[in-house]
Amino acid sequence: MLDFALSAFVTLLLVVDPVGLAPAFLAATGGMPDKVKRTIALRAPLIAASILVVIALVGNWLLRQLGIGIPAFQIAGGLLLFGVSYQMIFGDRPHREAREADKATSEHASDVAVFPLAIPMMAGPGAIATTLLLAGDAGYGAKLALIIAVVLSVCLLCMLCFASAALIARTLGRTGNAVLSRVLGMLLAAYSVQFVINGIAAVRAGLP
């Protein structure tokens, strides 16, 4: 159970990357009063957590209604996460997220806590796919409760990183942020390949 919880936490942590979201938070809240920034730092993770918890609770039911087996979703989700990891390693994910946040702010988005911070930066396709994969492996009961606890823990870390975003940005700098993104991308790539391997193994085990 401990290994399952640790694996789930690390996987979702790599996908969401709370530290890497600090520049995006600064871009989205640039020029706002400190009180408003604190409110957004609190609201955005709560909104993202609500979305991911609902996904965890109804994910298995949704897959059954769509006639999608867990192995198929493991393979598809693994490929999607590999795409995310590829962007982290060879792309410009931290700077792209900051640009998206800056664009949303310049367009006078009504609530940057909802968009772009909660969606799609925290509860984006990668995080949703990861939550569905983990919930599918967990089933119901104690393991599902662990998944919900993991979601809440990662969102709490996002809240802490948003609250100290200025300090993180100064400490890491552009080079440090790029290095961190690529190291986490490598780890996420390994996790995503493992999801695909597990899905293929489950399919082969089910063959006559």
Side-chain angles (χ1 to χ4, degrees), residues 68-87:
I68 300 174
I70 294 300
F73 198 83
Q74 283 179 317
I75 295 172
L79 293 175
L80 175 61
L81 293 182
F82 188 83
V84 174
S85 68
Y86 182 90
Q87 290 181 354

Side-chain angles (χ1 to χ4, degrees), residues 1 35 38 44 46 54 61 78-79 81 96 112 114 124 135 150 156-157 172 174 185 205 208:
M1 188 73 74
K35 183 178 180 180
R38 288 193 294 269
L46 289 177
V54 170
W61 174 84
L79 293 175
L81 293 182
R96 175 173 53 81
V112 296
V114 177
V150 164
L156 177 60
L157 285 176
L172 289 179
R174 175 176 292 185

Side-chain angles (χ1 to χ4, degrees), residues 37-143:
K37 289 183 180 181
R38 288 193 294 269
T39 301
I40 293 174
L42 177 66
R43 288 192 64 209
L46 289 177
I47 294 169
S50 300
I51 295 170
L52 295 179
V53 166
V54 170
I55 292 294
L57 291 174
V58 304
N60 286 325
W61 174 84
L62 181 62
L63 291 180
R64 286 198 303 271
Q65 296 303 309
L66 296 175
I68 300 174
I70 294 300
F73 198 83
Q74 283 179 317
I75 295 172
L79 293 175
L80 175 61
L81 293 182
F82 188 83
V84 174
S85 68
Y86 182 90
Q87 290 181 354
M88 293 173 70
I89 297 171
F90 297 105
D92 193 23
R93 183 184 177 190
H95 296 188
R96 175 173 53 81
E97 289 174 340
R99 286 194 298 269
E100 289 177 359
D102 193 39
K103 180 181 177 182
T105 304
S106 65
E107 293 174 351
H108 304 288
S110 59
D111 193 348
V112 296
V114 177
F115 175 84
L117 292 177
I119 307 167
M121 292 185 180
M122 295 174 62
I128 290 173
T130 301
T131 303
L132 273 172
L133 283 170
L134 296 173
D137 287 342
Y140 294 99
K143 284 190 174 182

